[in-house]
PDB file of all heavy atoms in Angstrom:
ATOM      1  N   ARG A1102     130.435  83.967  91.613  1.00  0.00           N
ATOM      2  CA  ARG A1102     129.995  84.316  90.258  1.00  0.00           C
ATOM      3  C   ARG A1102     129.505  83.074  89.514  1.00  0.00           C
ATOM      4  O   ARG A1102     128.543  83.142  88.739  1.00  0.00           O
ATOM      5  CB  ARG A1102     131.138  85.006  89.498  1.00  0.00           C
ATOM      6  CG  ARG A1102     131.491  86.375  90.092  1.00  0.00           C
ATOM      7  CD  ARG A1102     132.518  87.120  89.255  1.00  0.00           C
ATOM      8  NE  ARG A1102     132.869  88.385  89.899  1.00  0.00           N
ATOM      9  CZ  ARG A1102     134.027  88.621  90.518  1.00  0.00           C
ATOM     10  NH1 ARG A1102     134.962  87.676  90.538  1.00  0.00           N
ATOM     11  NH2 ARG A1102     134.256  89.786  91.082  1.00  0.00           N
ATOM     12  N   GLU A1103     130.153  81.953  89.742  1.00  0.00           N
ATOM     13  CA  GLU A1103     129.680  80.701  89.140  1.00  0.00           C
ATOM     14  C   GLU A1103     128.306  80.336  89.702  1.00  0.00           C
ATOM     15  O   GLU A1103     127.432  79.855  88.967  1.00  0.00           O
ATOM     16  CB  GLU A1103     130.677  79.577  89.422  1.00  0.00           C
ATOM     17  CG  GLU A1103     132.006  79.754  88.710  1.00  0.00           C
ATOM     18  CD  GLU A1103     133.010  78.677  89.088  1.00  0.00           C
ATOM     19  OE1 GLU A1103     132.638  77.781  89.878  1.00  0.00           O
ATOM     20  OE2 GLU A1103     134.161  78.745  88.611  1.00  0.00           O
ATOM     21  N   PHE A1104     128.111  80.557  90.998  1.00  0.00           N
ATOM     22  CA  PHE A1104     126.821  80.295  91.640  1.00  0.00           C
ATOM     23  C   PHE A1104     125.737  81.179  91.022  1.00  0.00           C
ATOM     24  O   PHE A1104     124.636  80.715  90.706  1.00  0.00           O
ATOM     25  CB  PHE A1104     126.946  80.580  93.140  1.00  0.00           C
ATOM     26  CG  PHE A1104     125.712  80.285  93.953  1.00  0.00           C
ATOM     27  CD1 PHE A1104     125.502  79.023  94.484  1.00  0.00           C
ATOM     28  CD2 PHE A1104     124.768  81.273  94.203  1.00  0.00           C
ATOM     29  CE1 PHE A1104     124.374  78.754  95.252  1.00  0.00           C
ATOM     30  CE2 PHE A1104     123.640  81.012  94.952  1.00  0.00           C
ATOM     31  CZ  PHE A1104     123.443  79.743  95.488  1.00  0.00           C
ATOM     32  N   VAL A1105     126.065  82.457  90.817  1.00  0.00           N
ATOM     33  CA  VAL A1105     125.127  83.389  90.191  1.00  0.00           C
ATOM     34  C   VAL A1105     124.782  82.944  88.780  1.00  0.00           C
ATOM     35  O   VAL A1105     123.605  82.951  88.371  1.00  0.00           O
ATOM     36  CB  VAL A1105     125.716  84.817  90.188  1.00  0.00           C
ATOM     37  CG1 VAL A1105     124.879  85.746  89.294  1.00  0.00           C
ATOM     38  CG2 VAL A1105     125.779  85.383  91.606  1.00  0.00           C
ATOM     39  N   ALA A1106     125.782  82.530  88.027  1.00  0.00           N
ATOM     40  CA  ALA A1106     125.539  82.092  86.646  1.00  0.00           C
ATOM     41  C   ALA A1106     124.654  80.852  86.604  1.00  0.00           C
ATOM     42  O   ALA A1106     123.841  80.691  85.689  1.00  0.00           O
ATOM     43  CB  ALA A1106     126.872  81.814  85.957  1.00  0.00           C
ATOM     44  N   ARG A1107     124.784  79.992  87.609  1.00  0.00           N
ATOM     45  CA  ARG A1107     124.001  78.755  87.656  1.00  0.00           C
ATOM     46  C   ARG A1107     122.540  79.023  87.961  1.00  0.00           C
ATOM     47  O   ARG A1107     121.652  78.365  87.440  1.00  0.00           O
ATOM     48  CB  ARG A1107     124.594  77.834  88.733  1.00  0.00           C
ATOM     49  CG  ARG A1107     124.869  76.482  88.273  1.00  0.00           C
ATOM     50  CD  ARG A1107     125.526  75.524  89.198  1.00  0.00           C
ATOM     51  NE  ARG A1107     125.634  75.827  90.590  1.00  0.00           N
ATOM     52  CZ  ARG A1107     126.752  76.229  91.183  1.00  0.00           C
ATOM     53  NH1 ARG A1107     127.851  76.438  90.467  1.00  0.00           N
ATOM     54  NH2 ARG A1107     126.794  76.439  92.479  1.00  0.00           N
ATOM     55  N   HIS A1108     122.278  79.975  88.841  1.00  0.00           N
ATOM     56  CA  HIS A1108     120.916  80.181  89.322  1.00  0.00           C
ATOM     57  C   HIS A1108     120.241  81.447  88.786  1.00  0.00           C
ATOM     58  O   HIS A1108     119.025  81.590  88.918  1.00  0.00           O
ATOM     59  CB  HIS A1108     120.918  80.231  90.856  1.00  0.00           C
ATOM     60  CG  HIS A1108     121.345  78.962  91.496  1.00  0.00           C
ATOM     61  ND1 HIS A1108     120.523  77.862  91.587  1.00  0.00           N
ATOM     62  CD2 HIS A1108     122.530  78.590  92.054  1.00  0.00           C
ATOM     63  CE1 HIS A1108     121.174  76.878  92.186  1.00  0.00           C
ATOM     64  NE2 HIS A1108     122.392  77.293  92.479  1.00  0.00           N
ATOM     65  N   GLY A1109     121.014  82.355  88.221  1.00  0.00           N
ATOM     66  CA  GLY A1109     120.449  83.642  87.811  1.00  0.00           C
ATOM     67  C   GLY A1109     119.537  83.525  86.609  1.00  0.00           C
ATOM     68  O   GLY A1109     119.749  82.717  85.707  1.00  0.00           O
ATOM     69  N   GLU A1110     118.500  84.347  86.620  1.00  0.00           N
ATOM     70  CA  GLU A1110     117.609  84.471  85.464  1.00  0.00           C
ATOM     71  C   GLU A1110     117.015  85.868  85.494  1.00  0.00           C
ATOM     72  O   GLU A1110     116.927  86.492  86.543  1.00  0.00           O
ATOM     73  CB  GLU A1110     116.496  83.420  85.490  1.00  0.00           C
ATOM     74  CG  GLU A1110     115.589  83.493  86.698  1.00  0.00           C
ATOM     75  CD  GLU A1110     114.531  82.409  86.678  1.00  0.00           C
ATOM     76  OE1 GLU A1110     114.779  81.330  86.133  1.00  0.00           O
ATOM     77  OE2 GLU A1110     113.452  82.668  87.228  1.00  0.00           O
ATOM     78  N   ARG A1111     116.641  86.354  84.350  1.00  0.00           N
ATOM     79  CA  ARG A1111     116.154  87.723  84.253  1.00  0.00           C
ATOM     80  C   ARG A1111     114.902  87.921  85.092  1.00  0.00           C
ATOM     81  O   ARG A1111     113.947  87.158  85.013  1.00  0.00           O
ATOM     82  CB  ARG A1111     115.852  88.084  82.799  1.00  0.00           C
ATOM     83  CG  ARG A1111     115.434  89.546  82.602  1.00  0.00           C
ATOM     84  CD  ARG A1111     115.340  89.868  81.129  1.00  0.00           C
ATOM     85  NE  ARG A1111     116.648  89.832  80.500  1.00  0.00           N
ATOM     86  CZ  ARG A1111     117.479  90.870  80.469  1.00  0.00           C
ATOM     87  NH1 ARG A1111     117.141  92.002  81.060  1.00  0.00           N
ATOM     88  NH2 ARG A1111     118.641  90.771  79.868  1.00  0.00           N
ATOM     89  N   SER A1112     114.896  88.980  85.892  1.00  0.00           N
ATOM     90  CA  SER A1112     113.742  89.294  86.727  1.00  0.00           C
ATOM     91  C   SER A1112     112.590  89.798  85.871  1.00  0.00           C
ATOM     92  O   SER A1112     112.801  90.521  84.892  1.00  0.00           O
ATOM     93  CB  SER A1112     114.125  90.359  87.757  1.00  0.00           C
ATOM     94  OG  SER A1112     112.991  90.848  88.431  1.00  0.00           O
ATOM     95  N   THR A1113     111.382  89.444  86.264  1.00  0.00           N
ATOM     96  CA  THR A1113     110.205  89.898  85.512  1.00  0.00           C
ATOM     97  C   THR A1113     110.056  91.409  85.563  1.00  0.00           C
ATOM     98  O   THR A1113     109.493  92.005  84.646  1.00  0.00           O
ATOM     99  CB  THR A1113     108.926  89.260  86.083  1.00  0.00           C
ATOM    100  OG1 THR A1113     108.820  89.572  87.469  1.00  0.00           O
ATOM    101  CG2 THR A1113     108.940  87.764  85.889  1.00  0.00           C
ATOM    102  N   VAL A1114     110.570  92.065  86.612  1.00  0.00           N
ATOM    103  CA  VAL A1114     110.351  93.503  86.720  1.00  0.00           C
ATOM    104  C   VAL A1114     111.417  94.310  86.010  1.00  0.00           C
ATOM    105  O   VAL A1114     111.343  95.527  85.964  1.00  0.00           O
ATOM    106  CB  VAL A1114     110.258  93.961  88.196  1.00  0.00           C
ATOM    107  CG1 VAL A1114     109.092  93.308  88.882  1.00  0.00           C
ATOM    108  CG2 VAL A1114     111.561  93.718  88.934  1.00  0.00           C
ATOM    109  N   THR A1115     112.424  93.654  85.440  1.00  0.00           N
ATOM    110  CA  THR A1115     113.434  94.410  84.714  1.00  0.00           C
ATOM    111  C   THR A1115     113.096  94.545  83.234  1.00  0.00           C
ATOM    112  O   THR A1115     113.712  95.314  82.536  1.00  0.00           O
ATOM    113  CB  THR A1115     114.813  93.749  84.829  1.00  0.00           C
ATOM    114  OG1 THR A1115     114.763  92.450  84.229  1.00  0.00           O
ATOM    115  CG2 THR A1115     115.251  93.636  86.265  1.00  0.00           C
ATOM    116  N   THR A1116     112.126  93.799  82.759  1.00  0.00           N
ATOM    117  CA  THR A1116     111.815  93.820  81.338  1.00  0.00           C
ATOM    118  C   THR A1116     110.660  94.758  81.010  1.00  0.00           C
ATOM    119  O   THR A1116     110.343  94.972  79.862  1.00  0.00           O
ATOM    120  CB  THR A1116     111.436  92.406  80.858  1.00  0.00           C
ATOM    121  OG1 THR A1116     110.330  91.928  81.629  1.00  0.00           O
ATOM    122  CG2 THR A1116     112.604  91.457  81.026  1.00  0.00           C
ATOM    123  N   THR A1117     110.045  95.319  82.019  1.00  0.00           N
ATOM    124  CA  THR A1117     108.898  96.198  81.819  1.00  0.00           C
ATOM    125  C   THR A1117     109.037  97.383  82.755  1.00  0.00           C
ATOM    126  O   THR A1117     109.513  97.225  83.867  1.00  0.00           O
ATOM    127  CB  THR A1117     107.594  95.460  82.164  1.00  0.00           C
ATOM    128  OG1 THR A1117     107.663  94.131  81.635  1.00  0.00           O
ATOM    129  CG2 THR A1117     106.388  96.156  81.602  1.00  0.00           C
ATOM    130  N   PRO A1118     108.630  98.591  82.341  1.00  0.00           N
ATOM    131  CA  PRO A1118     108.709  99.731  83.266  1.00  0.00           C
ATOM    132  C   PRO A1118     107.937  99.446  84.543  1.00  0.00           C
ATOM    133  O   PRO A1118     106.745  99.163  84.503  1.00  0.00           O
ATOM    134  CB  PRO A1118     108.065 100.868  82.465  1.00  0.00           C
ATOM    135  CG  PRO A1118     108.204 100.461  81.035  1.00  0.00           C
ATOM    136  CD  PRO A1118     108.102  98.957  81.034  1.00  0.00           C
ATOM    137  N   THR A1119     108.594  99.528  85.687  1.00  0.00           N
ATOM    138  CA  THR A1119     107.949  99.134  86.933  1.00  0.00           C
ATOM    139  C   THR A1119     106.788 100.034  87.288  1.00  0.00           C
ATOM    140  O   THR A1119     105.846  99.604  87.954  1.00  0.00           O
ATOM    141  CB  THR A1119     108.959  99.143  88.089  1.00  0.00           C
ATOM    142  OG1 THR A1119     109.488 100.463  88.230  1.00  0.00           O
ATOM    143  CG2 THR A1119     110.085  98.177  87.843  1.00  0.00           C
ATOM    144  N   TRP A1120     106.823 101.278  86.845  1.00  0.00           N
ATOM    145  CA  TRP A1120     105.771 102.201  87.227  1.00  0.00           C
ATOM    146  C   TRP A1120     104.480 101.950  86.449  1.00  0.00           C
ATOM    147  O   TRP A1120     103.482 102.610  86.681  1.00  0.00           O
ATOM    148  CB  TRP A1120     106.220 103.642  87.026  1.00  0.00           C
ATOM    149  CG  TRP A1120     107.006 103.913  85.776  1.00  0.00           C
ATOM    150  CD1 TRP A1120     108.355 103.884  85.647  1.00  0.00           C
ATOM    151  CD2 TRP A1120     106.486 104.250  84.494  1.00  0.00           C
ATOM    152  NE1 TRP A1120     108.719 104.170  84.356  1.00  0.00           N
ATOM    153  CE2 TRP A1120     107.595 104.410  83.629  1.00  0.00           C
ATOM    154  CE3 TRP A1120     105.216 104.417  83.974  1.00  0.00           C
ATOM    155  CZ2 TRP A1120     107.448 104.737  82.287  1.00  0.00           C
ATOM    156  CZ3 TRP A1120     105.070 104.754  82.640  1.00  0.00           C
ATOM    157  CH2 TRP A1120     106.179 104.914  81.818  1.00  0.00           C
ATOM    158  N   ARG A1121     104.472 101.022  85.526  1.00  0.00           N
ATOM    159  CA  ARG A1121     103.266 100.706  84.772  1.00  0.00           C
ATOM    160  C   ARG A1121     102.598  99.415  85.242  1.00  0.00           C
ATOM    161  O   ARG A1121     101.579  99.039  84.693  1.00  0.00           O
ATOM    162  CB  ARG A1121     103.579 100.570  83.280  1.00  0.00           C
ATOM    163  CG  ARG A1121     103.943 101.878  82.606  1.00  0.00           C
ATOM    164  CD  ARG A1121     104.090 101.672  81.132  1.00  0.00           C
ATOM    165  NE  ARG A1121     104.378 102.910  80.451  1.00  0.00           N
ATOM    166  CZ  ARG A1121     104.555 103.018  79.138  1.00  0.00           C
ATOM    167  NH1 ARG A1121     104.495 101.937  78.395  1.00  0.00           N
ATOM    168  NH2 ARG A1121     104.802 104.175  78.587  1.00  0.00           N
ATOM    169  N   LEU A1122     103.205  98.731  86.180  1.00  0.00           N
ATOM    170  CA  LEU A1122     102.695  97.422  86.566  1.00  0.00           C
ATOM    171  C   LEU A1122     102.160  97.409  87.989  1.00  0.00           C
ATOM    172  O   LEU A1122     102.674  98.093  88.864  1.00  0.00           O
ATOM    173  CB  LEU A1122     103.811  96.370  86.477  1.00  0.00           C
ATOM    174  CG  LEU A1122     104.312  95.983  85.091  1.00  0.00           C
ATOM    175  CD1 LEU A1122     105.468  95.005  85.233  1.00  0.00           C
ATOM    176  CD2 LEU A1122     103.205  95.385  84.250  1.00  0.00           C
ATOM    177  N   VAL A1123     101.119  96.608  88.184  1.00  0.00           N
ATOM    178  CA  VAL A1123     100.707  96.204  89.523  1.00  0.00           C
ATOM    179  C   VAL A1123     100.987  94.711  89.600  1.00  0.00           C
ATOM    180  O   VAL A1123     100.565  93.953  88.719  1.00  0.00           O
ATOM    181  CB  VAL A1123      99.219  96.477  89.784  1.00  0.00           C
ATOM    182  CG1 VAL A1123      98.830  95.986  91.179  1.00  0.00           C
ATOM    183  CG2 VAL A1123      98.916  97.966  89.646  1.00  0.00           C
ATOM    184  N   VAL A1124     101.713  94.287  90.628  1.00  0.00           N
ATOM    185  CA  VAL A1124     102.112  92.893  90.718  1.00  0.00           C
ATOM    186  C   VAL A1124     101.462  92.222  91.915  1.00  0.00           C
ATOM    187  O   VAL A1124     101.018  92.877  92.857  1.00  0.00           O
ATOM    188  CB  VAL A1124     103.649  92.749  90.804  1.00  0.00           C
ATOM    189  CG1 VAL A1124     104.326  93.452  89.641  1.00  0.00           C
ATOM    190  CG2 VAL A1124     104.168  93.267  92.130  1.00  0.00           C
ATOM    191  N   ALA A1125     101.433  90.895  91.872  1.00  0.00           N
ATOM    192  CA  ALA A1125     100.867  90.112  92.979  1.00  0.00           C
ATOM    193  C   ALA A1125     101.795  90.186  94.183  1.00  0.00           C
ATOM    194  O   ALA A1125     102.982  89.909  94.054  1.00  0.00           O
ATOM    195  CB  ALA A1125     100.677  88.665  92.555  1.00  0.00           C
ATOM    196  N   PRO A1126     101.285  90.554  95.364  1.00  0.00           N
ATOM    197  CA  PRO A1126     102.135  90.631  96.544  1.00  0.00           C
ATOM    198  C   PRO A1126     102.451  89.278  97.157  1.00  0.00           C
ATOM    199  O   PRO A1126     103.365  89.169  97.974  1.00  0.00           O
ATOM    200  CB  PRO A1126     101.313  91.486  97.519  1.00  0.00           C
ATOM    201  CG  PRO A1126      99.900  91.243  97.110  1.00  0.00           C
ATOM    202  CD  PRO A1126      99.919  91.038  95.630  1.00  0.00           C
ATOM    203  N   ALA A1127     101.691  88.247  96.781  1.00  0.00           N
ATOM    204  CA  ALA A1127     101.866  86.926  97.395  1.00  0.00           C
ATOM    205  C   ALA A1127     101.329  85.858  96.453  1.00  0.00           C
ATOM    206  O   ALA A1127     100.725  86.156  95.413  1.00  0.00           O
ATOM    207  CB  ALA A1127     101.133  86.871  98.736  1.00  0.00           C
ATOM    208  N   LYS A1128     101.549  84.610  96.833  1.00  0.00           N
ATOM    209  CA  LYS A1128     101.024  83.483  96.078  1.00  0.00           C
ATOM    210  C   LYS A1128      99.561  83.256  96.441  1.00  0.00           C
ATOM    211  O   LYS A1128      99.172  83.409  97.595  1.00  0.00           O
ATOM    212  CB  LYS A1128     101.825  82.224  96.408  1.00  0.00           C
ATOM    213  CG  LYS A1128     101.340  80.952  95.725  1.00  0.00           C
ATOM    214  CD  LYS A1128     102.165  79.764  96.165  1.00  0.00           C
ATOM    215  CE  LYS A1128     101.674  78.471  95.519  1.00  0.00           C
ATOM    216  NZ  LYS A1128     102.492  77.311  95.947  1.00  0.00           N
TER     217      LYS A1128
END
Side-chain angles (χ1 to χ4, degrees):
R1102 293 186 183 107
E1103 292 176 2
F1104 183 88
V1105 169
R1107 231 176 13 256
H1108 296 283
E1110 60 181 30
R1111 184 172 293 274
S1112 170
T1113 57
V1114 298
T1115 63
T1116 57
T1117 318
T1119 60
W1120 41 268
R1121 291 186 177 180
L1122 290 176
V1123 178
V1124 305
K1128 178 182 179 180

